[in-house]
Structure formats: C-alpha cells, structure tokens
Amino acid sequence: MKKSVKTKLALLLTLILTVPAIAKADWGGWYDGNTSNTWYGDTYQAGIPVNGIGRYGYQPENDSFYCFLESSSNPKSQDFFSIEDSIWGKPVTKLLYLIMAADDPFYAVSSKGFYVPDSVTDLDSLVFRWADFQNVYLSKALTKIPKCAFIECENVKQLQLPDKLKRIDEKAFAYCTNLKQIKIPEKVTIIEKKAFENCKNLTKIYLPVSVTKIEKNAFKGCDKLTIYCEKDSYAYKYAKKNKIKTKLLSNKTVKATQITNLPKSITVGTHESYLLFPFIEPFYATNQKLAYISDDPSIAEVNQNGKVDGKKKGTTTITVMTTDGSHLQEKVKVTVNQGKTSINPYFSLYQLLKGTTEFNVDAMLYNRNEKATYQIESNNSAIATAKIVDGTLKVTAKKTGNAIFTVNELNGKNKIEIGSFPISVESK
C-alpha cells in the first residue's frame, strides 16, 4: 500500500507557535495573537502558506480563521490532506477557493482524500473544483453545499453528506462523472438547478420526504439514475413527471448490512495521519454513523470521524462499528513507522534583525533523528550564518539582504540533505 504522508496541519503548527524566538526576531508569517491584524510577513496575499496548498487568515468580525486553497506551483502527489480546526484556540470556520488563472487548475495535487474538520461551518463556491481526491470528509456543521462546490471532481465515487445539511445549491456536484450513489440527508429541502448535471454514472440517489423543491435540470444527463424515495413524496412525483426510474422505500428504519470501503491494513508514520472513509450498505440506511476504537491509542489514535494519527512506532488495530443496533464491525491493522526527518514545512525566518537569534531545533526539523547530528550551511555567509549547538539553532544576521540555509543530516559516514529555507535580514 502506498505510504501515507504528513498531514498538512496538526501537531507541528502547535509546536512552532509555542516555541518563541529570543529577542530581535520576528516570526514572519505566523499569527502573533494580535487580533487587530491578520497574518504578516507574506507579500503574496495575507496568510501562512502551507506548501502551496493553502493559507490561513484571521477574521476579526467573528474572531475566527479561514483557510483558502490554491494551486501548487510544484505539485507533489499526497495521500491525504487535512486542514487545522483551530489556530491559537480560535476556530477555523471557513474554507475558501482562491481563483487562479484560467489555465491553472486550482487543485493540481492529487490525493486519496481531504479532511474538512467539524469547526468549518461555511464552504466557498467552487471550493473543490477540479480536485482529484477520491474521498472527502465534510464537517458535521455544514448546512449547505454551495454553488459548484464539487464541480468536475471526476474521481469521487461516493460521498457521505452531513446530517445538518438543508440545501444543495446550483451545480454543486455537476460533472462528477464517476459519482455512483449518494444519500441526501433528512433535513434537505431544496436541490437547485443542475445540481447533479451530467453525473453520467450516478445510478442511485436517496431523496427524503423533506425535499420539497427540485429545480430545473437538477439531474440532466443522469441517464442511469434511479431515485430511491417514499411513495407519494415530492421526490416520487418529480421522478414520475421527469420519467426517472424510482425504487420505493417504506418509512421504516433501515439498518446497515455491510461496512465497505475499508482497507485491511494501513501504514502511517509518526506524527502523520491516515483518513478512513468507510461507507454503509445499503447506501440509504437510516443511521450512517460509525464508531471508531483503537486498541492502543499510544501507538495510533483515531477520532470519531475516521482520522488516524500515528503516535509511536508499533502495531495496533482499529475497529470500525455501526451504531444502529446491527452490531457490524470491521478491523483495520495499523502499522506505525518512524517518520522521515525533514524540514518543518511551516518553518521560515523573515525579517531578522542584526545579531544572534536562537530557536529550538525541534521547531525546524520534523521527526528529528536523535542519533544523528545536523549541519546547516548558508548560501551567503556575508548576510547570515547559522549553526546547531545542543538542540539550539543559532542564527547570526550580519547585514541587510536575503539568504538561504541548507540543512544536512550526518549519520555516521552518511550525509543527507534534509531541505532548505529562506531568511531575510532587515535594517530595523
């Protein structure tokens, strides 16, 4: 199985924000707790960059943060992406789409899945346009799927929508050409025009009695579609009027008969994550909620949304169970390996003043090898130099200008380049 990679935002962001610089240093790009401004130190849009995938910004009107997504200029295939649920104790409540050039698809990075935490209450229109992921966990707090949110997400085959959802907006799932089945939650009242336009492989959709309005061409081009609904409901009458096949269901509780879409085993690194995306059959089962239990949380934790976090090297088992009284369960073997040493993707030094500044090495290195030593080189020693002494990174800024530091890991006779990061020395 393909090895999973580091989740984009989790433990490390907390680590960095809690390791202070000592005198004369400015953590450019990091939120400083001052709610009078947003992120600083970044000349291209306000916000902290996350390896070219997204940035965060402060919303003073509701004392929260948003995350906006963007194309990567150097896309790298990842297994899973996740965004943080809070920054400095303030919730991340909105996920935005950053419009790029017409010939530059927004989400160029492919992945198996995307995790939108339950803190998010609002999605922007077009938020996942062209995304290559196969699965997505959507926040339980969402009440609508906005216009064109999933348009042209061609790899998505099945989705579980949040129970609080009340509406599905125009073209929300248009051109999801591999979407095969979906259950519309019991509180949805309206499906806007062209919501599922040209979902040519959509064969099954469950429409509850709460749906009282389906706008024009909502299922245009869905030639294989069967609508699962109750007799005499609005959905049933709509299907008959538009000559769409139906399968009638009673209003009785439908229990799960199978848990699907789970791997038998997964591998994850320490401080890395893996996202489980199980589904219940039949797809229209009344209670879709699942429970997750880790046999040994000290090795791998799992939250109740299926997000697995590697803690330490070892092997354990995660059990996934139905909660509707059907007593079904599946087990997933989890192997946690030591993660690879790398430069923390959120570590960068901006606007250093002249003099020596000290930083904790753990703020710079991800999964640092305690048995190795590390060497740091400057491409312009006239501007700044750095060295690592007893777990401390000491940066000496000499004159105004920019430099790049390269970090190497020395382990016996082996020398491995870990990565590099820029600095900027300011006059004041």
Side-chain angles (χ1 to χ4, degrees):
M1 177 173 291
K2 182 179 177 181
K3 184 177 180 181
S4 63
V5 296
K6 294 185 286 293
T7 312
K8 287 302 173 186
L9 285 163
L11 178 64
L12 289 180
L13 184 55
T14 302
L15 177 66
I16 293 166
L17 291 173
T18 55
V19 180
I22 303 174
K24 297 185 179 180
D26 186 359
W27 284 80
W30 301 112
Y31 177 60
D32 63 359
N34 180 1
T35 56
S36 66
N37 57 34
T38 184
W39 302 101
Y40 60 93
D42 189 350
T43 57
Y44 175 65
Q45 298 282 351
I48 171 177
V50 184
N51 277 6
I53 302 303
R55 297 166 185 256
Y56 289 75
Y58 179 68
Q59 302 176 117
E61 65 275 12
N62 56 16
D63 196 25
S64 67
F65 280 82
Y66 64 82
C67 173
F68 65 81
L69 304 173
E70 60 184 330
S71 292
S72 171
S73 59
N74 183 24
K76 177 182 178 182
S77 179
Q78 306 280 353
D79 275 0
F80 304 108
F81 289 111
S82 176
I83 66 170
E84 187 62 279
D85 59 4
S86 65
I87 305 291
W88 277 60
K90 302 179 190 301
V92 177
T93 60
K94 193 169 186 177
L95 189 55
L96 302 177
Y97 168 61
L98 178 63
I99 301 296
M100 304 296 285
D103 60 349
D104 184 10
F106 133 68
Y107 204 62
V109 181
S110 61
S111 68
K112 291 181 181 177
F114 196 97
Y115 184 83
V116 181
D118 292 338
S119 62
V120 174
T121 58
D122 190 14
L123 298 178
D124 193 14
S125 60
L126 294 164
V127 64
F128 294 123
R129 185 179 186 183
W130 291 315
D132 288 336
F133 51 62
Q134 301 167 29
N135 299 287
V136 60
Y137 172 81
L138 289 172
S139 165
K140 291 185 178 72
L142 293 174
T143 59
K144 75 171 183 176
I145 304 297
K147 181 178 179 180
C148 299
F150 288 88
I151 191 169
E152 298 180 88
C153 290
E154 296 180 351
N155 288 335
V156 172
K157 295 181 179 179
Q158 188 171 347
L159 288 169
Q160 183 172 336
L161 300 178
D163 289 340
K164 291 184 179 181
L165 209 65
K166 295 181 179 179
R167 61 183 297 129
I168 297 174
D169 288 357
E170 180 182 350
K171 292 187 176 183
F173 298 99
Y175 295 90
C176 290
T177 51
N178 281 303
L179 182 63
K180 294 184 176 180
Q181 59 186 36
I182 191 167
K183 179 185 179 183
I184 305 303
E186 301 291 341
K187 294 182 180 180
V188 172
T189 60
I190 180 172
I191 298 175
E192 291 191 354
K193 62 184 179 180
K194 300 183 179 182
F196 293 90
E197 181 183 25
N198 284 327
C199 293
K200 61 183 181 181
N201 286 306
L202 182 61
T203 58
K204 302 175 183 178
I205 188 168
Y206 169 80
L207 297 178
V209 293
S210 60
V211 173
T212 56
K213 187 176 183 180
I214 301 175
E215 293 187 349
K216 186 177 181 181
N217 294 324
F219 301 103
K220 181 182 178 181
C222 302
D223 299 331
K224 302 177 182 179
L225 183 62
T226 296
I227 291 178
Y228 288 62
C229 59
E230 292 184 28
K231 190 174 181 179
D232 298 326
S233 64
Y234 175 86
Y236 177 76
K237 295 173 183 177
Y238 171 87
K240 289 300 181 183
K241 180 180 179 181
N242 290 275
K243 299 180 180 180
I244 300 174
K245 290 186 294 184
T246 60
K247 181 166 183 175
L248 296 180
L249 304 173
S250 70
N251 60 1
K252 295 180 180 179
T253 298
V254 179
K255 288 189 176 182
T257 60
Q258 188 180 8
I259 302 173
T260 65
N261 203 46
L262 275 178
K264 293 294 183 182
S265 62
I266 63 175
T267 300
V268 65
T270 52
H271 304 304
E272 298 177 359
S273 294
Y274 192 107
L275 306 180
L276 298 174
F277 293 97
F279 295 112
I280 285 177
E281 290 293 341
F283 80 101
Y284 53 85
T286 305
N287 182 353
Q288 301 277 322
K289 186 177 180 181
L290 292 165
Y292 301 81
I293 297 177
S294 173
D295 283 358
D296 191 343
S298 71
I299 293 175
E301 284 185 344
V302 61
N303 71 8
Q304 293 309 300
N305 300 329
K307 183 170 176 282
V308 181
D309 293 315
K311 294 298 181 180
K312 70 177 182 181
K313 189 175 181 179
T315 301
T316 188
T317 298
I318 288 174
T319 303
V320 184
M321 301 175 291
T322 55
T323 62
D324 64 354
S326 59
H327 305 295
L328 300 177
Q329 65 178 40
E330 294 288 339
K331 294 184 181 293
V332 179
K333 180 181 177 181
V334 182
T335 300
V336 180
N337 294 327
Q338 180 64 37
K340 184 179 179 181
T341 306
S342 63
I343 291 290
N344 184 331
Y346 319 116
F347 184 82
S348 53
L349 307 178
Y350 299 116
Q351 301 175 349
L352 289 178
L353 299 181
K354 293 179 182 179
T356 299
T357 307
E358 296 184 355
F359 299 89
N360 189 319
V361 169
D362 286 331
M364 176 182 69
L365 293 178
Y366 186 87
N367 274 319
R368 178 162 63 100
N369 184 350
E370 297 291 343
K371 296 181 180 180
T373 57
Y374 294 88
Q375 177 189 77
I376 187 164
E377 300 173 346
S378 172
N379 76 330
N380 193 332
S381 58
I383 291 176
T385 58
K387 61 182 178 179
I388 297 173
V389 180
D390 296 328
T392 299
L393 169 63
K394 296 184 177 182
V395 180
T396 301
K398 300 179 179 180
K399 69 177 184 178
T400 302
N402 300 310
I404 296 176
F405 288 151
T406 300
V407 181
N408 297 304
E409 180 179 277
L410 307 178
N411 197 345
K413 295 181 180 181
N414 297 324
K415 179 179 179 180
I416 302 172
E417 183 177 320
I418 299 302
S420 61
F421 58 91
I423 71 161
S424 177
V425 179
E426 303 293 331
S427 60
K428 62 179 179 178

